[in-house]
Amino acid sequence: MALAKSEAGERVQWAAITGVIATVSVFAIAQGLSYPLLSFILQRQGVSPAMIGLSAAMTPVGFILSSPLIPGLARRFGAGRTALTCAALSALVLALVGWTQNVYLWFPLRFLIGVVTNPLYVLSEIWVIALAPPSRRGRVMGIYSTIISAGFAAGPLCLLGVGTEGWPPFLVGILAFIFCGGCLAVVVKRLPKVDEAENKVSVLGFIPMAWLLLSAVIVAAGFEQAILALLPVYGTHHGIPEARMSALLSVMIAGNIAMQVPLGLLAERLTARLVRFGCVAVTSLGCVLLPALIETPLIWACVFIWGAVSYGIYTMSIIELGERFSGSALVAGNAAFSLMWGFGGIIVPPLTGSVMDVIGAAGLPVTLGAICAALAAATVVRRRVL
């Protein structure tokens, strides 16, 4: 009888995990669709690239500014109610974006998209971490990371089917957010309570508790955004056609999607901290090898592995977050992760581009390699201190 109860509890737990991952996957599709869709629309309106870039930056600014508010919202209104409200508001704001079709009105609206989608994403990730059995946390978070990446990649593919004109693409995104809320509503009663009132931990208060984990998030985010933005520029310097560089980026994303579960399984056998250090080391090695391999066939294998381990830094950090923290500290920690992801995406690409302006294309591997090496050194130093 006791065994049956245990098995039933395990079935309920996996059902809840599946429901939350389904929620986040639909959310990722909607987010992945909105970025290129709005850029295409603005291009047709004759808006300058600089203005398009500023418009797109409003969403991560919304992420950054809303992150410190998430623990308080979860405590005051409940994590489930907050996430469900954010799903509804996301659909509403995206509908307003489709209705206005005005670059200037899109600035505040895209900021609001960041504000209302961030709690949905953060709280869903917290539930997955809290629900994952410790013995299987690596594979669960690996599956989670894989599905998130695949969802973001699938978003632009939806535009191939519905186009980028009129209401159809917006309706896909709106319905995705509504479906996202529906998936969450089905499992919300099974989700663990992560909004406890006692032992309050703020986002700023969490930073000294796990500064190395947060530094890893900044590196992972900055690396990803810098590569997506500047690897094509690096390839042009070496005379590589745009089509080939686009294919290389696709292979890198494929490595990201394909390898998170194997890395998660490896974390279960070793530790998330050790695997994260390995990911940082291999990412640094990729920076060293890039100049030598960029014009050879080996570059295809290099960028596949690069994509896997660079995003693996974030996956391992999430796993370690779940191992070390729970309750309000977990909520604050995950909100801090979102905050640092935004900072990494805003700081590292401009820094890398500036170095490339000074020393040429070599600035890409030099800057990113130096950042990864610094993280690896900090990891070793912290280990020795402890």
mmCIF file of all heavy atoms in Angstrom, residues 12 42 62 69 96 102 117 123 136 138 149 163-164 200-201 214 218 250 284-285 295 307 344 352 355 357 360 365:
data_model
loop_
_atom_site.group_PDB
_atom_site.id
_atom_site.type_symbol
_atom_site.label_atom_id
_atom_site.label_comp_id
_atom_site.label_asym_id
_atom_site.label_seq_id
_atom_site.Cartn_x
_atom_site.Cartn_y
_atom_site.Cartn_z
ATOM 1 N N VAL A 12 1.717 11.815 -10.114
ATOM 2 C CA VAL A 12 1.187 13.175 -10.016
ATOM 3 C C VAL A 12 2.295 14.179 -10.255
ATOM 4 O O VAL A 12 2.123 15.175 -10.954
ATOM 5 C CB VAL A 12 0.535 13.398 -8.630
ATOM 6 C CG1 VAL A 12 0.222 14.868 -8.414
ATOM 7 C CG2 VAL A 12 -0.745 12.564 -8.507
ATOM 8 N N LEU A 42 8.212 46.399 -39.101
ATOM 9 C CA LEU A 42 8.874 47.699 -39.050
ATOM 10 C C LEU A 42 9.725 47.941 -40.298
ATOM 11 O O LEU A 42 9.804 49.070 -40.792
ATOM 12 C CB LEU A 42 9.729 47.799 -37.786
ATOM 13 C CG LEU A 42 8.950 47.863 -36.463
ATOM 14 C CD1 LEU A 42 9.905 47.875 -35.285
ATOM 15 C CD2 LEU A 42 8.037 49.082 -36.417
ATOM 16 N N GLY A 62 12.160 45.404 -20.034
ATOM 17 C CA GLY A 62 11.023 45.003 -19.211
ATOM 18 C C GLY A 62 11.354 43.816 -18.324
ATOM 19 O O GLY A 62 10.927 43.751 -17.156
ATOM 20 N N LEU A 69 10.518 42.520 -8.834
ATOM 21 C CA LEU A 69 9.147 42.561 -8.328
ATOM 22 C C LEU A 69 8.523 41.172 -8.173
ATOM 23 O O LEU A 69 7.517 41.015 -7.475
ATOM 24 C CB LEU A 69 8.265 43.390 -9.274
ATOM 25 C CG LEU A 69 8.725 44.820 -9.582
ATOM 26 C CD1 LEU A 69 7.778 45.466 -10.587
ATOM 27 C CD2 LEU A 69 8.811 45.648 -8.309
ATOM 28 N N LEU A 96 -2.792 44.311 -28.447
ATOM 29 C CA LEU A 96 -2.639 45.766 -28.596
ATOM 30 C C LEU A 96 -1.513 46.100 -29.572
ATOM 31 O O LEU A 96 -1.609 47.054 -30.345
ATOM 32 C CB LEU A 96 -2.363 46.400 -27.234
ATOM 33 C CG LEU A 96 -3.532 46.422 -26.247
ATOM 34 C CD1 LEU A 96 -3.071 46.939 -24.881
ATOM 35 C CD2 LEU A 96 -4.676 47.279 -26.785
ATOM 36 N N ASN A 102 2.217 50.772 -34.759
ATOM 37 C CA ASN A 102 2.894 52.069 -34.749
ATOM 38 C C ASN A 102 4.195 51.930 -33.973
ATOM 39 O O ASN A 102 4.197 51.499 -32.815
ATOM 40 C CB ASN A 102 1.998 53.130 -34.099
ATOM 41 C CG ASN A 102 2.634 54.507 -34.087
ATOM 42 O OD1 ASN A 102 3.575 54.749 -33.346
ATOM 43 N ND2 ASN A 102 2.101 55.408 -34.906
ATOM 44 N N THR A 117 5.464 39.052 -19.307
ATOM 45 C CA THR A 117 5.860 37.673 -19.619
ATOM 46 C C THR A 117 6.940 37.165 -18.676
ATOM 47 O O THR A 117 7.037 35.951 -18.439
ATOM 48 C CB THR A 117 6.363 37.541 -21.073
ATOM 49 O OG1 THR A 117 7.483 38.414 -21.275
ATOM 50 C CG2 THR A 117 5.269 37.860 -22.064
ATOM 51 N N LEU A 123 8.356 31.989 -12.864
ATOM 52 C CA LEU A 123 7.609 31.113 -11.962
ATOM 53 C C LEU A 123 7.478 29.709 -12.533
ATOM 54 O O LEU A 123 7.555 28.716 -11.795
ATOM 55 C CB LEU A 123 6.234 31.708 -11.666
ATOM 56 C CG LEU A 123 6.274 33.006 -10.842
ATOM 57 C CD1 LEU A 123 4.887 33.646 -10.771
ATOM 58 C CD2 LEU A 123 6.792 32.737 -9.425
ATOM 59 N N ARG A 136 16.751 12.954 -10.408
ATOM 60 C CA ARG A 136 16.503 13.098 -11.845
ATOM 61 C C ARG A 136 16.483 14.552 -12.284
ATOM 62 O O ARG A 136 16.033 14.861 -13.391
ATOM 63 C CB ARG A 136 15.159 12.437 -12.207
ATOM 64 C CG ARG A 136 15.091 10.957 -11.853
ATOM 65 C CD ARG A 136 13.783 10.341 -12.288
ATOM 66 N NE ARG A 136 13.681 8.955 -11.888
ATOM 67 C CZ ARG A 136 12.649 8.159 -12.166
ATOM 68 N NH1 ARG A 136 11.626 8.648 -12.845
ATOM 69 N NH2 ARG A 136 12.628 6.908 -11.779
ATOM 70 N N GLY A 138 18.828 16.537 -13.217
ATOM 71 C CA GLY A 138 19.639 16.821 -14.386
ATOM 72 C C GLY A 138 18.906 16.571 -15.677
ATOM 73 O O GLY A 138 18.868 17.427 -16.570
ATOM 74 N N SER A 149 14.484 25.855 -25.921
ATOM 75 C CA SER A 149 15.255 26.224 -27.112
ATOM 76 C C SER A 149 14.502 25.869 -28.385
ATOM 77 O O SER A 149 14.467 26.652 -29.345
ATOM 78 C CB SER A 149 16.612 25.513 -27.096
ATOM 79 O OG SER A 149 17.364 25.881 -25.966
ATOM 80 N N GLY A 163 2.639 33.626 -42.528
ATOM 81 C CA GLY A 163 3.089 34.888 -43.096
ATOM 82 C C GLY A 163 3.327 35.933 -42.024
ATOM 83 O O GLY A 163 3.219 35.665 -40.821
ATOM 84 N N THR A 164 3.655 37.152 -42.465
ATOM 85 C CA THR A 164 3.972 38.233 -41.534
ATOM 86 C C THR A 164 3.050 39.444 -41.721
ATOM 87 O O THR A 164 3.337 40.515 -41.200
ATOM 88 C CB THR A 164 5.431 38.685 -41.722
ATOM 89 O OG1 THR A 164 5.605 39.173 -43.060
ATOM 90 C CG2 THR A 164 6.400 37.552 -41.452
ATOM 91 N N LYS A 200 11.641 35.844 3.932
ATOM 92 C CA LYS A 200 11.626 36.598 2.686
ATOM 93 C C LYS A 200 13.056 36.858 2.204
ATOM 94 O O LYS A 200 13.919 37.259 2.977
ATOM 95 C CB LYS A 200 10.907 37.938 2.886
ATOM 96 C CG LYS A 200 9.423 37.791 3.217
ATOM 97 C CD LYS A 200 8.778 39.166 3.416
ATOM 98 C CE LYS A 200 7.310 39.029 3.794
ATOM 99 N NZ LYS A 200 6.682 40.363 4.012
ATOM 100 N N VAL A 201 13.267 36.616 0.925
ATOM 101 C CA VAL A 201 14.558 36.886 0.293
ATOM 102 C C VAL A 201 14.294 37.740 -0.941
ATOM 103 O O VAL A 201 13.507 37.360 -1.806
ATOM 104 C CB VAL A 201 15.287 35.586 -0.107
ATOM 105 C CG1 VAL A 201 16.625 35.917 -0.766
ATOM 106 C CG2 VAL A 201 15.502 34.693 1.107
ATOM 107 N N LEU A 214 25.282 33.535 -10.609
ATOM 108 C CA LEU A 214 24.757 34.672 -11.363
ATOM 109 C C LEU A 214 25.764 35.151 -12.407
ATOM 110 O O LEU A 214 25.388 35.577 -13.501
ATOM 111 C CB LEU A 214 24.378 35.797 -10.415
ATOM 112 C CG LEU A 214 23.269 35.447 -9.414
ATOM 113 C CD1 LEU A 214 23.050 36.583 -8.418
ATOM 114 C CD2 LEU A 214 21.967 35.138 -10.145
ATOM 115 N N ILE A 218 25.282 35.522 -16.569
ATOM 116 C CA ILE A 218 25.695 36.668 -17.389
ATOM 117 C C ILE A 218 26.554 36.204 -18.554
ATOM 118 O O ILE A 218 26.364 36.632 -19.701
ATOM 119 C CB ILE A 218 26.470 37.690 -16.529
ATOM 120 C CG1 ILE A 218 25.536 38.345 -15.516
ATOM 121 C CG2 ILE A 218 27.119 38.755 -17.408
ATOM 122 C CD1 ILE A 218 26.237 39.277 -14.542
ATOM 123 N N SER A 250 22.652 27.967 -37.427
ATOM 124 C CA SER A 250 21.615 26.938 -37.272
ATOM 125 C C SER A 250 22.196 25.679 -36.642
ATOM 126 O O SER A 250 21.559 25.046 -35.785
ATOM 127 C CB SER A 250 20.993 26.615 -38.631
ATOM 128 O OG SER A 250 20.353 27.750 -39.174
ATOM 129 N N SER A 284 35.593 28.089 -23.750
ATOM 130 C CA SER A 284 36.828 28.863 -23.895
ATOM 131 C C SER A 284 37.711 28.258 -24.984
ATOM 132 O O SER A 284 38.299 28.992 -25.801
ATOM 133 C CB SER A 284 37.596 28.899 -22.569
ATOM 134 O OG SER A 284 36.830 29.471 -21.543
ATOM 135 N N LEU A 285 37.798 26.924 -25.005
ATOM 136 C CA LEU A 285 38.602 26.247 -26.025
ATOM 137 C C LEU A 285 38.060 26.533 -27.419
ATOM 138 O O LEU A 285 38.833 26.738 -28.367
ATOM 139 C CB LEU A 285 38.620 24.742 -25.762
ATOM 140 C CG LEU A 285 39.399 23.876 -26.769
ATOM 141 C CD1 LEU A 285 40.872 24.276 -26.778
ATOM 142 C CD2 LEU A 285 39.242 22.395 -26.431
ATOM 143 N N GLU A 295 37.651 28.521 -41.469
ATOM 144 C CA GLU A 295 37.656 28.301 -42.913
ATOM 145 C C GLU A 295 37.871 26.835 -43.273
ATOM 146 O O GLU A 295 38.173 26.510 -44.427
ATOM 147 C CB GLU A 295 38.730 29.170 -43.574
ATOM 148 C CG GLU A 295 38.506 30.666 -43.387
ATOM 149 C CD GLU A 295 39.571 31.511 -44.063
ATOM 150 O OE1 GLU A 295 39.939 31.179 -45.210
ATOM 151 O OE2 GLU A 295 40.028 32.495 -43.459
ATOM 152 N N GLY A 307 27.678 25.373 -29.327
ATOM 153 C CA GLY A 307 26.298 25.667 -28.975
ATOM 154 C C GLY A 307 25.816 24.854 -27.789
ATOM 155 O O GLY A 307 25.095 25.347 -26.917
ATOM 156 N N GLY A 344 23.419 40.425 -19.101
ATOM 157 C CA GLY A 344 24.403 39.798 -19.988
ATOM 158 C C GLY A 344 24.128 40.101 -21.444
ATOM 159 O O GLY A 344 25.044 40.392 -22.220
ATOM 160 N N THR A 352 31.791 43.334 -26.864
ATOM 161 C CA THR A 352 32.478 42.544 -27.885
ATOM 162 C C THR A 352 32.595 43.326 -29.190
ATOM 163 O O THR A 352 33.651 43.328 -29.835
ATOM 164 C CB THR A 352 31.731 41.221 -28.127
ATOM 165 O OG1 THR A 352 31.562 40.532 -26.880
ATOM 166 C CG2 THR A 352 32.493 40.329 -29.096
ATOM 167 N N VAL A 355 35.345 45.934 -28.933
ATOM 168 C CA VAL A 355 36.688 45.356 -29.062
ATOM 169 C C VAL A 355 36.978 45.014 -30.521
ATOM 170 O O VAL A 355 38.101 45.220 -31.006
ATOM 171 C CB VAL A 355 36.830 44.113 -28.167
ATOM 172 C CG1 VAL A 355 38.198 43.455 -28.375
ATOM 173 C CG2 VAL A 355 36.655 44.488 -26.697
ATOM 174 N N ASP A 357 35.841 46.625 -33.048
ATOM 175 C CA ASP A 357 36.125 47.909 -33.705
ATOM 176 C C ASP A 357 37.592 48.299 -33.532
ATOM 177 O O ASP A 357 38.199 48.900 -34.418
ATOM 178 C CB ASP A 357 35.237 49.012 -33.131
ATOM 179 C CG ASP A 357 33.809 48.927 -33.630
ATOM 180 O OD1 ASP A 357 33.578 48.260 -34.654
ATOM 181 O OD2 ASP A 357 32.922 49.532 -32.987
ATOM 182 N N GLY A 360 39.808 44.515 -34.665
ATOM 183 C CA GLY A 360 39.353 43.747 -35.814
ATOM 184 C C GLY A 360 38.519 42.547 -35.412
ATOM 185 O O GLY A 360 38.102 42.410 -34.252
ATOM 186 N N PRO A 365 36.491 36.250 -30.717
ATOM 187 C CA PRO A 365 36.967 35.149 -29.863
ATOM 188 C C PRO A 365 37.790 35.633 -28.672
ATOM 189 O O PRO A 365 37.758 35.004 -27.608
ATOM 190 C CB PRO A 365 37.818 34.306 -30.823
ATOM 191 C CG PRO A 365 38.208 35.229 -31.924
ATOM 192 C CD PRO A 365 37.043 36.170 -32.075
#
